[in-house]
Amino acid sequence: MNQENFKDQLKEKGLKVTSQRVAVLEVLDLNRGKHLTTEELYELVKAMSPDIGLATVYRTVQLLLDMNLIDRITLDDGSIRYEIAEEKDKLSGHHHHHLICLDCGDIVSFADDLLENLEDNIRKTTGFEVVDHEVKLYGYCRACSEKHL
Amino acid sequence: MNQENFKDQLKEKGLKVTSQRVAVLEVLDLNRGKHLTTEELYELVKAMSPDIGLATVYRTVQLLLDMNLIDRITLDDGSIRYEIAEEKDKLSGHHHHHLICLDCGDIVSFADDLLENLEDNIRKTTGFEVVDHEVKLYGYCRACSEKHL
DNA sequence: TTGACTGCAAAACCTTTGCAAATGG
DNA sequence: CCATTTGCAAAGGTTTTGCAGTCAA
């Protein structure tokens, strides 16, 4: 699974398997679907390794991004969140997409390949070679929709 | 056009038509399709009104966002850019989307309604009420694609 | 006239960096 | 051992805010 894969990748690059790095990845793994900010991640990791510094969390997040083990989501308001990468996304080479509730702020993921046609079309009409896409849908989740009825 | 509409909207709200506000909107209008950062916007406005302060640019951008006269684009790397809103987008209630070149950084807009079906589908399967969507396509523009052949 | 607006500087954020101490292999 | 990593604190970069003076209406 992810954990071992991570350690192996680190060793291959001559990097070290530290308790801090393992803790950060583990928190992200245990919080699948949560889409954490750096600050939230820091707080959760501190519960596990109380002495970790914020700078280490930032450095580890950067490392995990470089290793494609996590994804970054930037919201419309500029806030940035992270989530553990899914195996299937890594294999397909595509990211999944997000539904963002404008009321409660909840973020849920969904898979979609409806944009394949669009990408072909764009290549033909504009010459733009698309290699990745990101879709964000803003609206109201079921719970918030119902709350306001 | 936009300029008069802007002044009228300001007056309606009891806000004032200042030379700084007009200058900021005008620069955005004159740079359609450019997708400016706050800093770029500040530099361009200074050429027109040399005494404007950076804080005023920030405050005016916020005002224009609230009035829906401009759109904000947040890129994957977290950088934020602004562009003047198009009439047709305001009428349709949908934003347009962007092609972002990973090589030269150029951003071009495109219109698309291919996601209507997807939105219906999501509502039926998840109960999530979609009210807006944002699509970013990352890749290589024609010029950059050809450069590397 | 008078409340809204502005420029400036300070403050508030968030993220990165330099460095001496700690630690993994 | 020794290169990498860490925590801390300082520095950087960006955005916001407080305030006294300025300006539109």
Side-chain angles (χ1 to χ4, degrees), chain B:
Chain B
M1 62 146 312
N2 256 328
Q3 202 74 270
E4 287 312 310
N5 181 13
F6 176 44
K7 293 180 182 174
D8 291 345
Q9 278 195 60
L10 286 176
K11 285 172 191 163
E12 270 174 42
K13 300 189 185 185
L15 302 176
K16 294 183 176 173
V17 178
T18 65
S19 61
Q20 291 92 335
R21 284 174 178 172
V22 172
V24 170
L25 185 63
E26 185 156 350
V27 164
L28 284 160
D29 196 16
L30 292 173
N31 287 277
R32 274 168 195 281
K34 282 273 187 61
H35 307 87
L36 305 171
T37 62
T38 310
E39 197 60 33
E40 287 165 353
L41 181 55
Y42 176 51
E43 291 304 322
L44 288 168
V45 175
K46 265 205 301 195
M48 189 177 282
S49 326
D51 292 338
I52 197 170
L54 180 56
T56 299
V57 174
Y58 276 100
R59 285 185 283 229
T60 304
V61 163
Q62 191 53 62
L63 178 70
L64 294 172
L65 281 174
D66 292 344
M67 296 170 75
N68 290 314
L69 292 173
I70 61 174
D71 289 324
R72 176 205 299 242
I73 312 164
T74 59
L75 264 41
D76 241 16
D77 65 2
S79 69
I80 297 179
R81 293 175 172 271
Y82 301 94
E83 64 180 334
I84 198 149
E86 296 292 332
E87 285 303 321
K88 55 176 187 279
D89 292 339
K90 284 192 283 183
L91 292 176
S92 75
H94 274 120
H95 292 122
H96 57 267
H97 309 302
H98 297 97
L99 299 173
I100 300 144
C101 182
L102 295 167
D103 192 349
C104 67
D106 192 31
I107 303 176
V108 302
S109 304
F110 74 98
D112 175 58
D113 276 325
L114 292 184
L115 268 54
E116 300 296 324
N117 294 337
L118 175 62
E119 293 188 3
D120 282 346
N121 201 28
I122 284 170
R123 178 162 36 237
K124 282 171 197 149
T125 58
T126 70
F128 194 101
E129 193 73 25
V130 177
V131 299
D132 194 14
H133 60 243
E134 184 192 17
V135 178
K136 284 178 228 159
L137 294 149
Y138 294 90
Y140 299 95
C141 69
R142 176 171 284 160
C144 288
S145 297
E146 290 173 353
K147 206 164 57 190
H148 294 303
L149 291 184

Side-chain angles (χ1 to χ4, degrees), chain A residues 7-38:
Chain A
K7 294 181 183 173
D8 290 346
Q9 279 195 59
L10 286 177
K11 286 172 191 164
E12 271 173 41
K13 300 187 185 187
L15 302 177
K16 294 183 178 177
V17 178
T18 66
S19 62
Q20 292 90 335
R21 284 173 178 172
V22 171
V24 170
L25 184 62
E26 186 155 350
V27 165
L28 284 160
D29 196 16
L30 292 172
N31 287 277
R32 274 168 196 280
K34 283 274 188 58
H35 306 88
L36 305 170
T37 62
T38 311

Side-chain angles (χ1 to χ4, degrees), chain A residues 41-78:
Chain A
L41 182 54
Y42 176 51
E43 291 305 322
L44 288 168
V45 174
K46 265 205 297 197
M48 188 178 280
S49 329
D51 293 338
I52 197 170
L54 180 57
T56 300
V57 173
Y58 275 100
R59 284 185 284 227
T60 304
V61 162
Q62 191 53 60
L63 178 69
L64 293 171
L65 281 173
D66 292 343
M67 295 170 76
N68 290 313
L69 292 173
I70 62 175
D71 289 324
R72 176 205 300 240
I73 311 164
T74 60
L75 264 42
D76 241 17
D77 65 1

